[in-house]
Each structure stands twice: as C-alpha cells, then as structure tokens.
Amino acid sequence: DFTTDIYDCIYAIIDRRRKFPASILLRSIGFSLNGDIFRAFDLMKTINLSKKKEIIGETIVDDIVNNETGEIVVEGNTTLNESLIKLLDKSGVKSVEVLDATKENEVAISVLQNTMMKDPTHNSEEAVMLLYKNLRTGEAPSFDIASRFIEKMFFSTKKYDLGSVGRYRINKKFSLDAPLDEPVLTKNDFVKVFKYLISMRNGENGPDDIDHL
C-alpha cells in the first residue's frame, strides 16, 4: 500500500505491518542515491559549468567527488554560489547535474525532498538492511541474504503474481507498456505509482484507490 501524509511525504506500507518513507523502498530496489531517485522521476538536468549565470542558485543533489583524490569537492544538497563554482572549476569539473527546479516540477521535488528527510538511509545497502531488520525482526547475516529477501518480497510470483489481467490493469492505470505476460511488479511500476501520487497532490488526478499495487 502507498499513502501520503499531511506533510507531503510518501509512505510505503509493507505487508500491512510497517510504514516506511517511500524513498527507502526505492533505494532497496536499486535507486540508491538521492540523485538516482530524482533522475527516475525526470527531475534532474545537466548544466555546463561555463554558464555561471544559469548555475548560481541551483541545487547539487549528491556529493561531487574528485575522481583522482576521492575527496568530496561539494557535498550533496548544496546550493551553488560563485565560490563553489570556482572550486569545481579548479577541480576540473566541466558540468554538474542539478535539480530541474522548474515551476511544473516544484511539487514533485518538494514531496520527494520531504520524504527523504524522513528517511534514515542514504543508499541501497542501508535501505535493504533496514527493511530486512524491520520485516524479519533481526539483523541480516549479510547484505546478499537481505538483498535476496527484498527481491523475493517484491519481484517473485510467490509473493505477487499479477496475472495477465492484473498486468493489463496496471498498464492501463499508469500508462505502462510492460508485456502482459510479465507476472511480477517492475521497478518502473513503483516509480509510476509514486508519480501518480504526486500528480494527485498536484491536482492532476483525483483521489483513487491504488492500495492493491
């Protein structure tokens, strides 16, 4: 089940037992960093560092790291200013990926940022281990075991077998084109559901029951 709260956070309710910020679920299925999540929602853009007037005030999502030294040049969730642009230029950075904060993206960015603020994890491994710990009531012996547990939970016919009718309904509801013989949920299904919830918040779709996805 998926839901939003009065603070514009998206939550995933797994097995009707535990409620988690949706970004934890997204991280656990492969969208590891904040940038990966924003990118999945088409909320990122790349700007050449030479376009200083365009880049000042833009937000860096993930850490920018010097590939040679491994040093963090600019930390994630930072607003760029002239001094930081000079620092990036000095470090040999030619372009940066930032949030595409257009008017039409404001609600989506806000909802995802609010959700991430409630999320104690920062990458796929942390998210997978946290979900395993809470859903299995105990520490995972290893990341591989926890990862297989998550895989079976969300992408196994033993847990969710959509059938051709279920897949048809999901495709129709969320404008997907997955093959009708695809019996399990896909990563894109999750992204589309969250996009739908955000569109409801944006007034583009009315209230709807999507609990069974």
Side-chain angles (χ1 to χ4, degrees):
D1 296 355
F2 305 102
T3 186
T4 56
D5 66 9
I6 60 173
Y7 303 106
D8 282 343
C9 299
I10 302 177
Y11 287 93
I13 303 172
I14 302 175
D15 280 355
R16 301 187 183 276
R17 290 184 292 163
R18 299 298 302 271
K19 185 169 75 171
F20 302 92
S23 52
I24 295 179
L25 175 57
L26 290 173
R27 294 190 206 283
S28 75
I29 63 174
F31 302 102
S32 185
L33 304 177
N34 289 350
D36 296 324
I37 295 174
F38 282 116
R39 204 172 294 113
F41 286 79
D42 302 314
L43 298 173
M44 299 282 281
K45 64 180 179 180
T46 300
I47 300 181
N48 193 295
L49 214 62
S50 63
K51 299 180 179 180
K52 292 184 179 180
K53 290 185 178 179
E54 293 184 22
I55 204 170
I56 290 177
E58 298 286 357
T59 302
I60 295 293
V61 176
D62 295 322
D63 295 342
I64 296 179
V65 179
N66 186 308
N67 292 327
E68 294 183 0
T69 65
E71 177 187 6
I72 295 176
V73 181
V74 177
E75 292 185 349
N77 198 32
T78 297
T79 300
L80 290 172
N81 54 36
E82 287 192 24
S83 61
L84 288 176
I85 293 172
K86 289 180 181 178
L87 179 60
L88 288 168
D89 187 45
K90 186 178 179 181
S91 300
V93 176
K94 301 299 182 184
S95 62
V96 292
E97 200 172 17
V98 298
L99 283 177
D100 188 11
T102 60
K103 182 71 175 178
E104 63 182 16
N105 290 339
E106 279 183 1
V107 171
I109 290 173
S110 176
V111 169
L112 289 175
Q113 286 179 328
N114 291 341
T115 302
M116 290 169 180
M117 287 177 64
K118 301 288 186 179
D119 180 356
T121 68
H122 302 90
N123 54 53
S124 287
E125 183 168 349
E126 290 180 6
V128 166
M129 298 300 280
L130 184 146
L131 286 180
Y132 184 97
K133 179 180 179 180
N134 283 275
L135 295 174
R136 289 295 299 267
T137 317
E139 299 287 347
S142 69
F143 171 70
D144 286 342
I145 290 175
S147 184
R148 286 198 294 271
F149 169 75
I150 298 300
E151 182 76 18
K152 290 179 180 178
M153 171 163 281
F154 298 117
F155 305 111
S156 169
T157 53
K158 292 181 180 179
K159 188 70 175 180
Y160 296 110
D161 191 343
L162 299 174
S164 59
V165 174
R167 170 48 65 188
Y168 171 79
R169 288 177 176 173
I170 290 175
N171 283 358
K172 185 177 180 180
K173 182 68 180 180
F174 301 110
S175 302
L176 292 162
D177 58 1
L180 294 181
D181 59 357
E182 175 59 74
V184 296
L185 295 172
T186 67
K187 294 180 181 180
N188 197 34
D189 290 336
F190 288 96
V191 172
K192 283 289 188 177
V193 171
F194 297 146
K195 282 185 175 182
Y196 190 90
L197 287 170
I198 290 171
S199 72
M200 287 171 58
R201 170 61 182 81
N202 210 16
E204 296 171 15
N205 288 291
D208 195 9
D209 180 9
I210 56 174
D211 287 350
H212 295 294
L213 184 64

